Amino acid sequence: MTVRFHRPMILACAIALSGYPACAEQIEAWRVFVADHSEPVVRAFDLREGKEVDRFALAGAARLHRSQSGRVVYAVQRDANRVQMIGTGIALGDHGDHGDITIEAPALLDAILAGRKPVHLVERDGTVAAFFDDEGIARLVSEHAALEGTEEPRDIASSAPHHGVAIPFGVHLLVTRPHPSDPGALPVGLDLFGPDGAPTGDHAPCPDLHGEAQSGNLVAVACATGLLVVAPGPERPDIRHLPYATGLPEGKTTKLVGGKGLRYFLGNFAARTLVLIDPTQAEESFRPVELPTRVVDFATHPAKPRFALAFTEDGYLHRIDVIAGQIDRSVRLTAPYSMDGHWSDPRPRIAVAGPLIVVSDPLAGHLHVVDTETFEPTGAIAVEGEPFSLVAVGGAGETH
Amino acid sequence: MRPLTQAALAGLAFAVLAPTAQAGAEPLEVVASFSIIGDFAGAVGGDRIRLTTLVGPNGDAHVYEPRPADAAATARARVVLVNGLRFEGFLDRLIEASGTTATVVEVSKGAHILPANGKADDHHADEDKAEEHHHDGSGDDDGHAHAGHDHGAYDPHAWQSVDNAERYIRNIAEAFCLTDRDGCAAYQENAAAYIEQLEELDAEIKSAIAGLAKDRRTIITSHDAFGYFEHEYGLHFLAPKGLSTEADASAADIAALIRQVREERAAAIFVENITNPRLVEQISAETGLKPGGALYSDALSDQDGPAATYLDMMRHNLTTITSAIAGS
């Protein structure tokens, strides 16, 4: 089916005065990449047409991440012991007074990060770091090298296998420190590694570390006691601990997402409570947002910074006004999805494609598409299998 | 989103139609984009305004990411004061996110504006009003290729000329008068008093620079923030970084600068309060120029620092520069 965009996909044929072609076509294009929950396949959809444009067979079921540039999708296959990469085929170029877009076919790249049990993957400033839990090793590669297939990954080893994460931060790398006596427990803090790949000796305690996100030039990592907030420093990253506010209900954050356009973080906290976090505020740095039922997934809105999104187990998508700190719109999209059961059962996930929000509905085999402003469904795309993890890439620009 | 400059006509219409009386005794809610404009706003508005400054002391507006609290303050504001000239790369998204109905005023409008290549240009000089507009809420979506934080055709650091600072003050007073007619006499009075101080400052700077030897007037800073000071007062500034602090200088840029420092017999080198000093320290080590202290370019110091106000900032920079050259 065709999804309704409020803005035409081909916006204009602009006439430039100098230095550019006389007629540069303005094009907006969005692709959604969807991993199946039970099959080792990723499907790519053209969002405007609502049609599958390609599909990629993987080694195992995947969770998807997109690079900041949108040129690469990373498919993390925990049980197949690898991270595969898909070139999205869409590239945006910033030329100051205008932007270019090039659109090609998506393609599975040759680059693979292989190792035992990859789970967490973080991409920052063009470098991706996948952490392999059963090895305790982070493998890093640049997005450019992944696209070109020109570089072997660089390994950075923590002290032992554990459920960890590695976060590129300029020339430094932040790597989790495993629990000293219980390999199955969550990490106990962050260690800083220098440009030479060796530990600097800097350590920031963070009990039960799980969940990381970036917003602006900040990185936040969730702990049982609060957040570690990492900011650029004159010589090395500046890491400080932000304790949870005293007025919050019982809980802790284990998943974080970061705002774009506005610098804030959104985290889970209790089953029906999210927290909006402004780490630079002296007061009200944590603002709880109550949800009607338990949260299934949540996301920030990269195109409309005022809004964040949450999907709850009653089948509703909610729009959160991050300035007011409350839900301002809700829409029913799916049948209920209970949070009881296995953590990895197929449940809806959220992606944002410019003005449109896309929600996977694994049990119905659909992608629901919602307009951000009206917050009404604009269509649904039928998908084979159980559409689960998804990311959107694209944008607008001139073609020459 | 339309760039601010494109929304100007709509804004002028709003400025005429906007309510002109301040409701009750409530102060006029004003947002200033960064500390120097905040200082100007405080000097003109006095206790009739409630001021929120987004990028505070020692903050770098080039790379600032606004917070939800900034959007909330902007939503409450009736006047938003910005430098314009694409200095505040964060502004369009903040305005859109806030949904504000405030009048957004580019206080550099009508100032003597230099193009990015440093040659004098009277692009704005024929306009005698601050550019104002009422934001329409339309905007770019993520994924669109943005203009980023480049400064386009003009050098935005216009406040580094005291003559331009006078224009800023006049624009601010005019904007306050349009929104709060009852307070207009007070705003005009405050502005006039401040302009007198600016004129004294301008004379001080000219006198001090005149006392420097003509062949000892080349100095080094971190980024190209002092083009207006150079144009107005006759010093020559070199910098490894361009008009924005966002992009790193390349090795080739630094090597070329070091050659230029030697060729032009630069007299002194300075760090800036908003930039990492390492680059300047590296150039210092390569050239043998001893760092002459910290200059305040795009932000004031905190209250305990030497540049807590615009007047203090300009005097501090003048003293720091002339002392370093005298000792070189």
Side-chain angles (χ1 to χ4, degrees), chain B residues 229-253:
Chain B
F229 198 98
E230 172 172 330
H231 183 261
E232 197 72 23
Y233 304 113
L235 286 177
H236 182 38
F237 288 80
L238 300 175
K241 289 190 175 194
L243 292 172
S244 172
T245 58
E246 191 176 28
D248 287 333
S250 70
D253 292 337

Side-chain angles (χ1 to χ4, degrees), chain B residues 116-179:
Chain B
N117 65 13
K119 291 181 182 171
D121 189 307
D122 284 337
H123 174 75
H124 286 205
D126 59 346
E127 302 172 53
D128 60 1
K129 288 189 174 189
E131 183 160 307
E132 303 174 6
H133 73 271
H134 177 75
H135 197 268
D136 67 354
S138 66
D140 283 344
D141 298 316
D142 186 77
H144 293 208
H146 296 293
H149 295 279
D150 74 297
H151 292 307
Y154 300 102
D155 179 348
H157 306 91
W159 60 86
Q160 286 292 347
S161 150
V162 177
D163 189 52
N164 279 342
E166 281 192 34
R167 171 55 64 183
Y168 280 41
I169 293 295
R170 292 184 201 282
N171 287 337
I172 292 168
E174 184 178 321
F176 288 174
C177 281
L178 282 169
T179 311

Side-chain angles (χ1 to χ4, degrees), chain A residues 7 92 94 96 263 280-281 306 395, chain B residues 66-67 97-98 141 143 146-147:
Chain A
R7 192 192 328 239
L92 301 169
D94 184 354
R263 193 171 64 181
T280 61
Q281 279 282 94
R306 185 176 190 125
Chain B
R67 310 162 304 154
S98 70
D141 298 316
H146 296 293

Side-chain angles (χ1 to χ4, degrees), chain A residues 283-329:
Chain A
E283 296 175 357
E284 290 193 333
S285 48
F286 291 88
R287 290 183 295 159
V289 179
E290 294 299 325
L291 302 174
T293 56
R294 289 180 292 183
V295 66
V296 176
D297 192 28
F298 56 96
T300 58
H301 199 306
K304 301 289 180 187
R306 185 176 190 125
F307 302 124
L309 305 158
F311 189 88
T312 48
E313 61 181 350
D314 55 1
Y316 277 81
L317 179 69
H318 308 277
R319 192 175 78 177
I320 298 168
D321 181 334
V322 302
I323 299 172
Q326 59 191 25
I327 292 171
D328 77 341
R329 296 278 186 91

Side-chain angles (χ1 to χ4, degrees), chain B residues 98-124:
Chain B
S98 70
T100 186
T101 57
T103 305
V104 181
V105 182
E106 288 189 24
V107 297
S108 65
K109 205 68 184 175
H112 186 78
I113 298 302
L114 298 175
N117 65 13
K119 291 181 182 171
D121 189 307
D122 284 337
H123 174 75
H124 286 205

Side-chain angles (χ1 to χ4, degrees), chain B residues 3-327:
Chain B
L4 288 176
T5 47
Q6 289 178 19
L9 289 177
L12 285 174
F14 172 79
V16 172
L17 297 172
T20 53
Q22 194 173 345
E26 277 297 298
L28 182 66
E29 292 281 354
V30 175
V31 163
S33 60
F34 70 108
S35 56
I36 292 170
I37 292 181
D39 183 51
F40 290 157
V44 174
D47 58 7
R48 289 192 66 88
I49 66 168
R50 183 182 292 134
L51 177 66
T52 301
T53 300
L54 301 181
V55 187
N58 298 312
D60 185 356
H62 293 288
V63 294
Y64 187 71
E65 289 277 346
R67 310 162 304 154
D70 297 332
T74 304
R76 286 194 305 270
R78 294 181 63 200
V79 179
V80 177
L81 302 174
V82 304
N83 184 72
L85 302 170
R86 300 176 75 178
F87 178 66
E88 298 96 341
F90 61 87
L91 189 70
D92 284 354
R93 287 197 160 204
L94 174 66
I95 295 288
E96 186 201 355
S98 70
T100 186
T101 57
T103 305
V104 181
V105 182
E106 288 189 24
V107 297
S108 65
K109 205 68 184 175
H112 186 78
I113 298 302
L114 298 175
N117 65 13
K119 291 181 182 171
D121 189 307
D122 284 337
H123 174 75
H124 286 205
D126 59 346
E127 302 172 53
D128 60 1
K129 288 189 174 189
E131 183 160 307
E132 303 174 6
H133 73 271
H134 177 75
H135 197 268
D136 67 354
S138 66
D140 283 344
D141 298 316
D142 186 77
H144 293 208
H146 296 293
H149 295 279
D150 74 297
H151 292 307
Y154 300 102
D155 179 348
H157 306 91
W159 60 86
Q160 286 292 347
S161 150
V162 177
D163 189 52
N164 279 342
E166 281 192 34
R167 171 55 64 183
Y168 280 41
I169 293 295
R170 292 184 201 282
N171 287 337
I172 292 168
E174 184 178 321
F176 288 174
C177 281
L178 282 169
T179 311
D180 173 21
R181 188 171 292 168
D182 290 347
C184 189
Y187 300 137
Q188 297 290 9
E189 189 177 329
N190 292 342
Y194 193 81
I195 285 170
E196 276 186 30
Q197 297 183 68
L198 289 176
E199 286 169 352
E200 289 171 17
L201 172 67
D202 190 53
E204 279 177 46
I205 297 173
K206 283 174 176 162
S207 169
I209 301 294
L212 297 175
K214 286 213 166 22
D215 63 347
R216 304 298 289 156
R217 292 189 182 185
T218 296
I219 59 177
I220 318 299
T221 59
S222 302
H223 89 294
D224 274 332
F226 294 94
Y228 289 88
F229 198 98
E230 172 172 330
H231 183 261
E232 197 72 23
Y233 304 113
L235 286 177
H236 182 38
F237 288 80
L238 300 175
K241 289 190 175 194
L243 292 172
S244 172
T245 58
E246 191 176 28
D248 287 333
S250 70
D253 292 337
I254 296 168
L257 179 69
I258 289 169
R259 277 198 305 276
Q260 201 174 358
V261 166
R262 290 174 176 146
E263 285 165 11
E264 299 193 21
R265 294 184 60 241
I269 187 166
F270 302 92
V271 298
E272 288 175 42
N273 65 323
I274 63 162
T275 58
N276 190 326
R278 288 177 68 178
L279 187 53
V280 160
E281 287 164 4
Q282 180 190 344
I283 295 166
S284 169
E286 293 272 348
T287 60
L289 281 175
K290 237 176 105 178
L295 301 183
Y296 290 78
S297 54
D298 297 15
L300 302 177
S301 69
D302 57 30
Q303 282 301 313
D304 299 329
T309 67
Y310 175 79
L311 297 169
D312 288 345
M313 176 185 84
M314 296 300 283
R315 289 195 169 98
H316 167 83
N317 287 349
L318 178 67
T319 305
T320 303
I321 290 168
T322 53
S323 300
I325 290 176

Side-chain angles (χ1 to χ4, degrees), chain A residues 147-166:
Chain A
L147 283 163
E148 301 294 327
T150 56
E151 187 179 288
E152 289 298 310
R154 186 165 66 110
D155 284 6
I156 304 288
S158 69
S159 57
H162 67 286
H163 181 46
V165 66

